[in-house]
Amino acid sequence: MKSSESLKNSDAVEYEGGTYDVIVVGAGHAGSEAALAAARMGNKTLLITISLEMIAFMPCNPSVGGPAKGIVVREIDALGGEMGHNIDKTYIQMRMLNTGKGPAVRALRAQADKHAYHRQMKLTMEREPNLTLRQATVDQLIVEDGVCKGVITNTGARYHSKTVVLTVGTAARGKIIIGELQYQSGPNNAKSAVKLSENLEQLGFDLERFKTGTPPRVNGNTINFDETEEQPGDVQPHHFSFDTPDSKYIAVSDQLACWLTYTNPTTHGIIRANLNRAPMFSGVIKGVGPRYCPSIEDKIVRFADKSRHQVFLEPEGRDTDEYYLDGVSTSMPEEVQQKIVHSIKGLEKASLMRPGYAIEYDVVAPYQLHPTLETKIIKNLYTAGQTNGSSGYEEAAGQGIIAGINAGLRAQSKKPFVLSRSDAYIGVMIDDLVTKGTKEPYRLLTSRAEYRLILRHDNADFRLMEKGHAIGLVSDARVAKMEAKKKQVADEISRLKAIKFKPSDDQVNDFIESHGDNRLKDAVSAADFIKRPYVDYQTLLRFIPAPAEKLDRHVIEQVEIQLKYAGYIKKEEQKVERMKRMEAKRIPDDIDYEDIDGLATEGRQKLEKIRPETLARASRISGVNPADLAILSVYIRQGKFSKKDHEK
Amino acid sequence: MANSENDTIAAISTPVGEGGISIIRISGDDAIPVAQKIYKGKNLAKVPTHTINYGHIIDPDTKEEVDEVMVSVMRAPKTYTCEDVVEINCHGGLLATNRILQLVLSYGARMAEPGEFTKRAFLNGRIDLSQSEAVMDLIRAKTDKSMKVALNQLDGDLSRLIRHLRKDILNVLAQVEVNIDYPEYDAVEEMTTKMLKEKAVDIQQRIQALLKTAKQGKVLREGLATAIIGRPNVGKSSLLNSLLHEDKAIVTNVAGTTRDVIEEYVNVNGVPLKLIDTAGIRHTEDTVEKIGVERSKKALDAADLVLLLIDSSAPLTAEDRELLTATKDKKRIVILNKTDLPQKVDLAELKRLIGGAPLVETSIVKHEGMDQLGQKISHMFFNEGIESGQNTVMVTNARHIGLLHQANDALNDVLKGINDGMPVDLVQIDMTRCWDLLGEITGDSYQDELLDQLFSQFCLGK
C-alpha cells in the first residue's frame, strides 16, 4: 500500500513562465516546421514538447518522400522550411521513383537515419536565435473571450503569447494497443497528453478518434539477407533541397540498401488462426484507420486470395542494426507477432526488438479550421499535422509550415497566407482537409491533385520561392539564384524557337528516318522538333550549336519539360484560370444560410458546417449541388449582407 | 464538377415547335469563337457588334451543311448577359435546332443550367434586385424539375451502358494511379501506353456505337421512323403530300438509299419524322398493287410510329383488320380518312379494334383534320413517349449527345497523346476527362470514386 501511495500524482504550483509572440505545442514534423517558420519570421517563439528526445522523431517508417509526399518536401524547401535540408544531411539512401513515367509524377524518396534526423533537427532549432525549446506537457490553453492567449503546462508554467499552434500528434489522449494489452501512451512509449484533449472538448471542439499503427522492429544481425532481394539507392545524384549541390551526394556504394522479402501462406495461416486476438477485429480498436496503410491482418482479411505480400526491410540508421519491417504493420499480441515474423523468408531467426502496435488518438475534425489552419472556434489558435487528421511526416510538415507562417503573420498583424490547389500539393491537402474533411487519416496521393502536371517536384522553386521570400523565409540570394535559373530556361526556350530545321537538311532527315518517321516536309523549329518522342535536348545538340552559356542539368530538364509537354501544360493552366475566377468570389463571413430560401437541406447543412470562404470552395463540398451554388451566388450578389450589417 | 461561372453556355432560347424560327443562344467569353467554328459566312470575329449575318451552319466533321441561318453577334457589355452573345436563328424544327445545339456543345460551349442566362445577367449587374428574386424562383423551380426530367429521360439502357463504360475507364485510371502512387507494389501490372491504347480504342468504339444507337439521340438526329400504312387508295399518298407540303422547314431525300426505300423528312409540330418507304407509298397507290399490304407490313418493322389510314367511306375490310392486328403492339395513330364522304365504316367496331390508340378524323383532300393530327403526334412524342415539358426534353437529349461527342474527342486526344509518345500519366489526363464527361450524363460525379476503387481493388500500403 505504502509503495503505491508514494507513486500518487500531485500537481505543480503555477507560475508566470514568460511572454512570447508564438507558442508551438509539440515538436514532431509539424511542430518543428511551425516553430522554425515563426521564429525565422522574427517572432519570439517557444516550442514546448513532452520530450526533447521526440523532436522530429520518426515513430513509423524511417523514410521521407515518395509519390506526392516527395513533392511536398520540395515545396516546404521552396517556402523556406527545414525538412529538405534536414533529410539531405541525414539520408542513408536516395531513390527517384517513377523515372519511367512523366515529369509530373516523378518522386524522390530517401531512407533516413532516424536518430541523426532527430538530432540534426534538434540542433538546428537549438541554434535558432528566436526559438526557445522547453520540455513540458501542455495541459490547458489560456483562452479569453474566444481568443487564445497562451498555454499552461504540467510544470505549472503560464506562458503568454499572441498566437498558439497545436501539433500534438498521436500524443492526444494516445492509447497503444498490442493484442489484449492496452495502455495510455504517446508514440513509441512517449507520454500521452490527456488534459489538453479534455480542455479542447470543454472549449467546444468536435474531436474524432483515429487509429494508426506500426510494424515490429528486428535486429539486423539476426536477418538472413541472402534470402532477400537487395534494393539499392540511385547512382544519379538527387537531393530534396534546391540548395544542396550534387557534389554532396553520397556515392551509392556508401548508401545503405533496403531488402525485399515476402509473407507466405504460413504467415497468413498464423494470422487467420489468431484473428480472435486481433484488436482490429475483436472490436477493441474503435478508431478509424487509414486504408492506404493497412495492417497485415487487415490485408489478409480483405485480400484473402493474395498468396503473398511484400515486406521491405529498412535500416533505421547508421549507428544501429535495428530494422523496420515495412509491410507488416500489426497490433496482434506480441507472441503472435513473433510467429508472424519468423514465418517470413530471411526472418526465420530474427530477434524481435520492439513489437508493432496500433495507436488511437484524438483529432480535431478539420472542418473546424480556416484554410489558414486557424480554428474557427478559438481565434489565434492554429492546428497542424495528425491533430488535423492527416498521416505522414511530409503531410504534417507541410501543414506545420503553413500554421507556423500564419501564426507568425497574425502575431505581426499581417495578412494571412493561403496556398491554393493550383499553387502546391500543400494547398490541395489543406483544402481537402478543411473543405471535405476526412474519415480516415489523410494521406496525399498524386490523384488528389487535379493540376498535377503543374505541381511537379522539379518546379517547386518556381512555384513557391517568391512567396517564401515575401514572407521572409527565403533569402534574397536564394530568390536571385532561382530567378537566374528561370531566365536561363526562358532564354534557351526562345533560342530553340528561333532555330529552324529545314527539309533540305539531310543529316536531320536521315536521323528522322532512322526512327521510322517521315522526312521533313516543312521547316520546323528546334522547340517543336524536341516534342518528338525520340528526341531529347542532348539529341538536339547533335544538330544545333550549344548555348553560349553551359546549362546545368536542372535547367535542361526544365527546357525539356516545358517544351515537350507544352500542350498538356497549357490545357491545365486554362483549367487553373477558370478555377481562379471562382476562387475570387468570396462568401461573406457572417452569411446566414438559414436566411437563404431554396437551398436544399443537405446543401444548407454542409454549408453551415464548413462555412466556405469562396464559391469555389463551396463547389467542392460534397452534397452542395449546382443549384445551391447558383442560389448562393445570386444571394450574395443581392447584397443582403451589407443591409444586415447596417441594421446591426 | 461544378459548373464554372464564366465559361461559355448555350441553349435553345425559343419554345420548340412553335413558330418558324428557332434561336440558339450562346453566351460567354468563347461565344464568338465557338459559333465561328461551325459557321460558314463572314468572319464573325470581325463583324461589327449588334449585327445580323447571313450564312450557313456546317458540321466541321462531315462538312455537311446543316441549315441556312442568320447569326446575331453582340459583344459585351451591351448584351442581355453583359457577356459576348451570339444568337443563331435557324429555320426551326427539332431536327435542325438540335443539331445546331449539339454542334455548339461539341465545339466548346456547355449546356446552360435552367435560368442561367438570367442569372448571369443579374450577376453581371444587368438587372436589378427585384428582378433577381424572380431569378432565384426560376432556378428553384426549374432545377428540381429538370433534374428529375434529366434522370427520368435517361434511357435505362443508355444509362447502364454509360455506367459500364465509366467502370471500365475507372479500372484503367485506378491501375495508372496505383502505378504512380505505389511504384513498388508488385501485384499490379504496369499500365503501358500500348495497353492504354487498346482500352481507349475499345471505349471509343463503344461510345461511337452509343452515339449511333442511343434512342433519344437517334430520334433527334434522324427523326422518328414513321410508317404510313393502309390499304390501297385509302389516302396514303395524299397524306404524304399533305405532310410534305405543310412542312416548310426540311424536306430531304437521303442519298445512298436504294431506289425502293426512299426516306423523307418532315417536321410536324416540332417533331422530326422520318417517313419510311415513301416511294413504296407512291408506287402502290399508283398501280393499285396487290402487294401493297405486304409492303406496308415490311415498313412496320422499322417504324417507331405508325400512321394507319382507314377509309371512313367504306366498311372495314379484311386487309384493314389485318393491318390493325399487325400494328397492335406499335405506337400508332389511326386516321379515319375521307370524312367528307358519307360514313360507312362501323365506328364502334373500329374503336373496339384500336383499343386506346388515338383516332383522328380527317379529310385530307379537303385539308381537314391535319392540325389535330399534328397535335396528336407532338402530344405522343412529348407527353407520352418520353416525358412532359417541352424545352427540357430536347435540351437534355442534346446535352447527352454533346457530352458523348466531347467524351469521344477526349479519347481522340488520348490516342493522339499515345501516338506522340507521351507518358501514361499525361495521356491519362484526357482519359480522366472522358470519364468526367460521361459522369455528367449519368449524374455520377462522386469525387472520391477513384480512391475508393483504388483501395478496394488493390491491396496497397506498407
Side-chain angles (χ1 to χ4, degrees), chain B residues 79-90:
Chain B
T79 67
Y80 180 60
T81 54
C82 296
E83 300 170 335
D84 285 354
V85 169
V86 173
E87 291 184 348
I88 300 172
N89 299 254
C90 64

Side-chain angles (χ1 to χ4, degrees), chain A residues 372-528:
Chain A
T372 57
L373 298 181
E374 184 182 18
T375 71
K376 293 173 183 170
I377 301 177
I378 308 290
K379 212 179 159 206
N380 294 351
L381 176 66
Y382 298 77
T383 60
Q386 278 171 307
T387 303
N388 292 350
S390 71
S391 157
Y393 313 141
E394 304 81 358
E395 285 87 344
Q399 291 167 63
I401 191 167
I402 298 298
I405 287 171
N406 279 309
L409 289 169
R410 173 65 57 76
Q412 298 168 349
S413 304
K414 289 181 184 161
K415 277 192 180 163
F417 178 71
V418 173
L419 291 173
S420 75
R421 299 182 73 90
S422 55
D423 287 330
Y425 269 89
I426 296 174
V428 171
M429 166 175 63
I430 293 177
D431 184 67
D432 278 350
L433 284 170
V434 304
T435 307
K436 297 180 192 162
T438 181
K439 294 187 176 73
E440 63 185 330
Y442 177 97
R443 182 192 155 163
L444 263 176
L445 298 160
T446 64
S447 51
R448 295 196 195 267
E450 57 273 60
Y451 314 115
R452 74 179 171 202
L453 185 52
I454 292 176
L455 306 183
R456 305 188 308 271
H457 82 105
D458 58 84
N459 69 355
D461 50 347
F462 291 174
R463 287 188 279 129
L464 300 172
M465 230 173 238
E466 191 52 61
K467 293 179 194 287
H469 181 243
I471 294 164
L473 289 176
V474 173
S475 69
D476 294 347
R478 222 184 157 202
V479 170
K481 201 176 136 199
M482 180 273 291
E483 293 292 354
K485 176 179 162 192
K486 209 185 228 174
K487 184 168 183 305
Q488 280 186 316
V489 173
D491 288 351
E492 182 61 2
I493 287 178
S494 343
R495 188 179 81 98
L496 294 182
K497 280 184 177 163
I499 297 175
K500 300 278 180 216
F501 287 18
K502 297 201 180 70
S504 58
D505 188 333
D506 284 338
Q507 200 200 347
V508 169
N509 274 317
D510 289 349
F511 167 77
I512 292 172
E513 278 188 333
S514 75
H515 286 277
D517 209 346
N518 297 325
R519 298 173 77 87
L520 293 179
K521 284 201 200 95
D522 303 302
V524 45
S525 74
D528 279 332

Side-chain angles (χ1 to χ4, degrees), chain A residues 67-68 95 97-98 101-105 109 231 262 291-294 299 302-303 306 308-310 312 314 326-329 436 443 445-448 452-453 531 533 564-565 568 571-572 578 581-582 585 596-598 615 619-620 625-627 629-631 633-635 637-638 640, chain B residues 1-7 29 113 119 122-125 129 132-133 135-136 139-140 143 147 176-177 179-187 190 413-414 416-430 433 447-448 450-452 454-462:
Chain A
R95 265 184 85 186
L97 304 173
N98 288 336
K101 303 193 181 79
V105 298
R109 191 186 60 204
Q231 306 242 300
Y262 298 91
R291 284 177 296 182
Y292 42 75
C293 210
K299 291 187 205 175
R302 286 180 53 217
F303 296 92
K306 278 200 76 179
R308 67 175 199 178
H309 296 276
Q310 290 162 308
F312 294 90
E314 301 179 7
D326 199 338
V328 285
S329 173
K436 297 180 192 162
R443 182 192 155 163
L445 298 160
T446 64
S447 51
R448 295 196 195 267
R452 74 179 171 202
L453 185 52
K531 288 180 181 160
K564 266 185 174 298
Y565 308 115
Y568 288 94
K571 260 198 256 178
E572 212 139 277
R578 282 203 295 274
R581 289 201 234 172
M582 253 177 105
K585 304 215 163 134
I596 309 177
D597 291 338
L615 277 183
S619 75
R620 291 192 287 269
N625 65 40
L629 285 176
I631 288 170
S633 66
V634 172
Y635 181 81
R637 172 75 198 204
Q638 280 175 335
K640 286 199 171 170
Chain B
M1 271 304 91
N3 291 320
S4 164
E5 295 273 304
N6 291 82
D7 51 3
D29 292 352
E113 304 283 342
K119 181 187 145 201
F122 170 74
L123 289 177
N124 292 324
L129 200 69
S132 76
E133 298 288 348
V135 180
M136 305 257 282
I139 294 168
R140 273 195 289 277
T143 305
M147 275 169 73
V176 174
E177 294 300 336
N179 293 158
I180 293 168
D181 276 322
Y182 295 89
E184 292 160 308
Y185 177 63
D186 67 347
E190 179 83 21
D413 289 347
V414 168
K416 182 175 181 303
I418 293 170
N419 285 340
D420 290 349
M422 289 294 158
V424 153
D425 51 288
L426 291 192
V427 174
Q428 190 217 12
I429 293 174
D430 292 312
R433 184 156 59 93
Q447 288 166 334
D448 293 332
L450 179 61
L451 292 182
D452 288 345
L454 219 62
F455 294 114
S456 60
Q457 187 176 349
F458 305 109
C459 176
L460 298 167
K462 299 192 209 170

Side-chain angles (χ1 to χ4, degrees), chain A residues 282-303:
Chain A
S282 63
V284 168
I285 290 182
K286 299 201 172 56
V288 187
R291 284 177 296 182
Y292 42 75
C293 210
S295 62
I296 186 69
E297 48 268 34
D298 204 16
K299 291 187 205 175
I300 305 299
V301 170
R302 286 180 53 217
F303 296 92

Side-chain angles (χ1 to χ4, degrees), chain A residues 165-372:
Chain A
V165 184
L166 291 184
T167 62
V168 294
T170 55
R173 220 155 27 188
K175 183 171 89 173
I176 281 183
I177 301 153
I178 304 168
E180 294 80 6
L181 171 68
Q182 300 178 43
Y183 57 96
Q184 225 173 59
S185 174
N188 197 38
N189 287 349
K191 263 183 66 185
S192 72
V194 178
K195 288 184 180 169
L196 184 60
S197 278
E198 289 167 359
N199 185 221
L200 289 173
E201 279 175 339
Q202 282 158 10
L203 290 168
F205 283 101
D206 175 13
L207 301 185
E208 284 172 14
R209 200 83 176 137
F210 277 10
K211 169 249 159 190
T212 187
T214 193
R217 316 296 203 268
V218 301
N219 186 331
N221 297 294
T222 61
I223 298 174
N224 181 1
F225 289 106
D226 294 342
E227 296 290 330
T228 66
E229 298 162 33
E230 184 174 359
Q231 306 242 300
D234 283 349
V235 173
Q236 162 77 44
H238 285 291
H239 290 101
F240 279 99
S241 174
F242 288 99
D243 297 340
T244 314
D246 285 354
S247 58
K248 295 253 180 164
Y249 192 67
I250 301 172
V252 70
S253 55
D254 293 331
Q255 296 185 13
L256 299 187
C258 295
W259 307 82
L260 174 62
T261 179
Y262 298 91
T263 62
N264 55 53
T266 310
T267 319
H268 303 183
I270 295 166
I271 293 168
R272 277 194 202 98
N274 288 284
L275 278 181
N276 59 332
R277 299 185 68 191
M280 285 286 295
F281 299 103
S282 63
V284 168
I285 290 182
K286 299 201 172 56
V288 187
R291 284 177 296 182
Y292 42 75
C293 210
S295 62
I296 186 69
E297 48 268 34
D298 204 16
K299 291 187 205 175
I300 305 299
V301 170
R302 286 180 53 217
F303 296 92
D305 55 330
K306 278 200 76 179
S307 59
R308 67 175 199 178
H309 296 276
Q310 290 162 308
V311 181
F312 294 90
L313 314 179
E314 301 179 7
E316 295 222 309
R318 288 192 186 277
D319 57 0
T320 175
D321 287 333
E322 201 172 340
Y323 272 76
Y324 175 93
L325 304 187
D326 199 338
V328 285
S329 173
T330 179
S331 57
M332 294 291 256
E334 187 175 82
E335 175 196 4
V336 180
Q337 290 194 24
Q338 294 209 38
K339 286 185 187 154
I340 291 172
V341 168
H342 291 159
S343 72
I344 296 169
K345 211 172 171 188
L347 302 178
E348 291 88 350
K349 297 196 171 136
S351 159
L352 189 77
M353 291 177 72
R354 306 171 204 243
Y357 60 83
I359 184 164
E360 281 188 343
Y361 56 100
D362 287 341
V363 164
V364 172
Y367 70 84
Q368 302 168 98
L369 304 173
H370 294 291
T372 57

